[in-house]
Amino acid sequence: MNFFKKQRKNSDNFSSSEDDQNKESNKDSIKTSLEGNIQHVKQRIGNSSDIVTREIQIGKEGIIKACIFYTDGLVDINSIQNFIMESLMLDIYPDQDLNDIDSTNVLQVLKDRILAVGNIQDVTEFSSLMTSLLSGDVILLLDGYAQGLTIGMRGGKDRGVMESTAETVVRGPKEGFTENLRTNTALIRRKIKTSQLWLESKKIGKLTKTDVAIMYIDGIVNDKIVEEVHRRLDRIDIDGILEGGYIEELIQDAPYSPFPTIYYSERPDVIAGELLEGKVAILVDGTPFVLVVPALFVSFIHAAEDYYQRADISTLIRLLRFLSLLIALLGPSLYIAITTFHQEMLPTQLLIGLAEQREGVPFPAFIEALMMEAAFEILREASLRMPKAIGQAISIVGTLVIGSAAVEAGIISAAMVIVVAITAISSFVSPAFAMSMSIRMLRFPMMALAASFGLFGIIVGFIALILHMCNLRSFGVPYMSPFGPFIREDIKDTFIRAPWWRMLTRPRLISQKNNKREQASAPKPPRNKM
């Protein structure tokens, strides 16, 4: 008996919960009363002044009452006037009387014959209505119909396509992404004109309902990577997404690693090149930076201009970037280790000169480097936050004044100022700001290891970094590929950049469906015979 009582109780609870869901669903559904729908919309939006409500009468005799809702500033006002208001209110279809049409077909006639707009969809719930309204669509409701129409009229003011400020090049396209999602997808489609370029959309954020688009080339991309991207995005449960950095932090593989495992760029040509390699782009509405997965370590060292210059010039510049990366990471550490523990490695004259400079300095080399690095980081951050008109002048003057004054006061040696300056300049060589920030953070623990154990500490720390990077993965792809695991045919686009007629294949671990970039019989450059 207890069992049956419990079953009956569970059944009653289930039926009551089902009734509650039905009540909630009915409460959210659009009603047939136009006045009631108008009041409900105004109530849900808090009578906000930027929500425009325009009541009109349509049909030959104006018997059908209707209402148009739109958000001021998010729509194209001229399009509303030309393609909606005139179509509904003027008698431009004298042979079509809406009053004589079956009541169940009025909305269909409006979509098919009256409204000269491309994007029109049905809406039956207030939740979908509010999302479309606050996204920039126009809402049309009719009296006596428990259904409405969402009309795509998004517009408003936005920043036009301008030159990228974060990734400047001497040779190559100058255009950069904007904060408008549709503009960004159009810029990519201008680069890749194929039906295989697929786009899938999502809305993320309970309150912001931010539009997020996923772009990839079908037939080249690894389907497992696309599935993983969808799985991680669907797992996000947050109230708002204001920039792509939210998405990056929520879907990255190693949240506690100092190295970035998701690449981003502001340039459409860079994103197009990544898509052609079989990667997936994640575009977020409201930001000009597009995320790319999976990301490899070498991707953060490459620049867009590498593929527009000759192969030999690009190879030289890439080797220079890797050297600058090592200097930015190990420059102060090597100086501290050699001057503190391994003076025998220096030439005698240089050692005597350094000893004379440090004669009046009261701090050890590690404290010197720590103070100079901290001062430089403060100046760099201050120059970023200051107005552009005075930011560069203040940073240059502050660096010169503080450096020279510190040397004259005997607080810092002149050699340390030179080392810190070269290190700072080397950190600016990296094309990716995310990798530059990682190197700046890792510089301080490397300095501590050098001050504690000398070159032995630097070697141990460097090996630990390499092991950590080899253990990282980005959406299932090894972070240090093609070095670990070693893939010989993929080395052509890492430290070096082979000529285009030699880069016949895409990265093997990323694109596993269509690995051929061009035919193996691609002709080599002709040679002039004398």
Side-chain angles (χ1 to χ4, degrees):
M1 293 295 294
N2 292 335
F3 174 77
F4 289 107
K5 289 182 180 179
K6 186 180 295 186
Q7 287 293 99
R8 189 182 302 113
K9 183 177 181 181
N10 292 336
S11 177
D12 294 340
N13 291 336
F14 178 77
S15 60
S16 61
S17 62
E18 191 176 32
D19 293 339
D20 293 339
Q21 292 178 0
N22 292 332
K23 290 180 180 179
E24 290 294 331
S25 177
N26 294 331
K27 184 179 180 181
D28 190 60
S29 300
I30 296 176
K31 306 300 186 295
T32 56
S33 172
L34 181 62
E35 292 296 329
N37 292 332
I38 294 175
Q39 293 301 323
H40 187 77
V41 171
K42 290 183 177 181
Q43 182 180 3
R44 292 189 65 163
I45 205 65
N47 291 319
S48 300
S49 58
D50 60 337
I51 304 300
V52 179
T53 303
R54 178 74 163 87
E55 296 186 48
I56 60 175
Q57 293 180 344
I58 61 178
K60 281 188 176 182
E61 300 178 1
I63 295 180
I64 301 178
K65 295 181 180 180
C67 184
I68 294 175
F69 302 90
Y70 63 87
T71 305
D72 190 17
L74 297 182
V75 297
D76 188 351
I77 299 297
N78 294 328
S79 298
I80 294 177
Q81 178 66 28
N82 297 330
F83 301 108
I84 297 181
M85 302 297 290
E86 290 186 0
S87 299
L88 293 176
M89 299 180 66
L90 299 182
D91 190 11
I92 60 176
Y93 295 97
D95 59 335
Q96 183 70 63
D97 188 1
L98 294 178
N99 303 324
D100 298 335
I101 301 175
D102 184 8
S103 60
T104 59
N105 296 328
V106 172
L107 291 175
Q108 193 65 36
V109 170
L110 288 175
K111 290 194 297 182
D112 296 342
R113 302 189 59 180
I114 306 298
L115 294 174
V117 183
N119 184 15
I120 302 179
Q121 297 180 356
D122 297 329
V123 59
T124 58
E125 297 180 352
F126 280 109
S127 57
S128 301
L129 184 149
M130 297 304 300
T131 301
S132 300
L133 175 63
L134 298 176
S135 298
D137 293 333
V138 178
I139 308 299
L140 174 62
L141 297 179
L142 302 181
D143 190 22
Y145 298 90
Q147 183 180 350
L149 299 178
T150 63
I151 307 171
M153 285 289 174
R154 300 186 184 185
K157 301 293 182 182
D158 58 358
R159 184 170 65 94
V161 178
M162 302 172 62
E163 183 177 357
S164 172
T165 58
E167 301 172 71
T168 57
V169 295
V170 177
R171 180 178 181 178
K174 303 297 182 181
E175 60 189 4
F177 287 121
T178 69
E179 287 75 15
N180 190 295
L181 179 63
R182 281 292 159 256
T183 302
N184 295 341
T185 57
L187 289 173
I188 296 177
R189 288 201 178 274
R190 286 177 58 186
K191 303 289 183 184
I192 306 176
K193 303 178 182 68
T194 176
S195 59
Q196 292 179 278
L197 180 60
W198 289 5
L199 186 146
E200 301 176 13
S201 300
K202 295 179 179 292
K203 288 187 181 294
I204 301 179
K206 297 178 181 177
L207 301 180
T208 60
K209 300 187 184 303
T210 306
D211 292 319
V212 178
I214 303 171
M215 294 191 76
Y216 56 89
I217 300 179
D218 183 57
I220 295 179
V221 71
N222 189 342
D223 294 334
K224 293 183 179 179
I225 295 179
V226 178
E227 293 174 2
E228 182 66 16
V229 171
H230 279 286
R231 188 183 67 82
R232 296 190 187 187
L233 290 177
D234 294 337
R235 193 178 56 192
I236 297 177
D237 186 11
I238 192 172
D239 56 352
I241 299 292
L242 301 180
E243 210 273 338
Y246 287 59
I247 301 290
E248 178 183 359
E249 193 168 350
L250 290 170
I251 67 173
Q252 62 184 346
D253 286 79
Y256 299 108
S257 173
F259 295 99
T261 54
I262 296 179
Y263 181 72
Y264 62 85
S265 177
E266 195 184 7
R267 298 179 55 86
D269 56 328
V270 172
I271 300 302
E274 298 287 350
L275 291 175
L276 290 171
E277 288 190 349
K279 298 181 182 180
V280 180
I282 304 174
L283 297 88
V284 182
D285 190 27
T287 176
F289 294 95
V290 176
L291 306 177
V292 177
V293 294
L296 307 181
F297 172 74
V298 293
S299 301
F300 297 92
I301 311 300
H302 297 170
E305 202 169 4
D306 294 347
Y307 301 96
Y308 309 141
Q309 301 283 359
R310 284 188 358 227
D312 52 351
I313 297 175
S314 300
T315 299
L316 177 62
I317 295 176
R318 281 189 180 180
L319 293 175
L320 185 63
R321 288 199 199 105
F322 278 100
L323 177 61
S324 301
L325 188 70
L326 291 176
I327 294 175
L329 177 64
L330 303 176
S333 304
L334 290 174
Y335 177 82
I336 294 171
I338 292 175
T339 56
T340 305
F341 295 97
H342 312 282
Q343 296 90 346
E344 67 278 1
M345 298 179 62
L346 298 175
T348 305
Q349 294 297 327
L350 179 59
L351 181 61
I352 294 174
L354 292 177
E356 291 177 354
Q357 293 178 18
R358 293 189 48 79
E359 185 177 0
V361 177
F363 304 108
F366 174 66
I367 302 299
E368 275 189 272
L370 196 61
M371 290 191 299
M372 285 300 298
E373 288 289 346
F376 189 84
E377 293 295 335
I378 292 173
L379 285 172
R380 174 156 40 184
E381 190 66 20
S383 64
L384 291 175
R385 309 306 167 196
M386 287 182 181
K388 292 183 178 180
I390 62 175
Q392 294 182 353
I394 293 297
S395 62
I396 295 173
V397 172
T399 304
L400 293 175
V401 171
I402 292 177
S404 59
V407 173
E408 292 178 2
I411 301 176
I412 303 295
S413 62
M416 180 59 73
V417 175
I418 296 174
V419 171
V420 172
I422 294 176
T423 303
I425 294 173
S426 299
S427 65
F428 288 120
V429 176
S430 176
F433 182 73
M435 183 58 67
S436 176
M437 289 292 297
S438 300
I439 297 302
R440 285 164 58 184
M441 289 192 302
L442 293 171
R443 189 185 303 154
F444 291 95
M446 294 298 291
M447 289 164 49
L449 288 174
S452 302
F453 307 103
L455 289 178
F456 177 76
I458 294 177
I459 295 173
V460 171
F462 190 74
I463 293 175
L465 284 180
I466 297 297
L467 292 176
H468 171 70
M469 294 168 68
C470 291
N471 193 42
L472 289 178
R473 287 180 175 269
S474 177
F475 285 77
V477 179
Y479 191 61
M480 290 301 293
S481 173
F483 303 110
F486 182 76
I487 304 174
R488 182 179 178 182
E489 57 269 23
D490 290 349
I491 300 295
K492 60 183 178 299
D493 192 20
T494 52
F495 292 115
I496 62 173
R497 206 274 280 176
W500 275 112
W501 48 271
R502 291 293 301 273
M503 293 201 292
L504 305 177
T505 59
R506 298 183 177 89
R508 193 176 71 184
L509 293 181
I510 297 176
S511 177
Q512 299 180 355
K513 296 175 64 176
N514 182 6
N515 201 32
K516 294 292 183 181
R517 191 191 299 270
E518 57 179 309
Q519 297 299 322
S521 59
K524 294 183 179 180
R527 295 182 180 179
N528 296 328
K529 296 182 179 180
M530 298 299 294

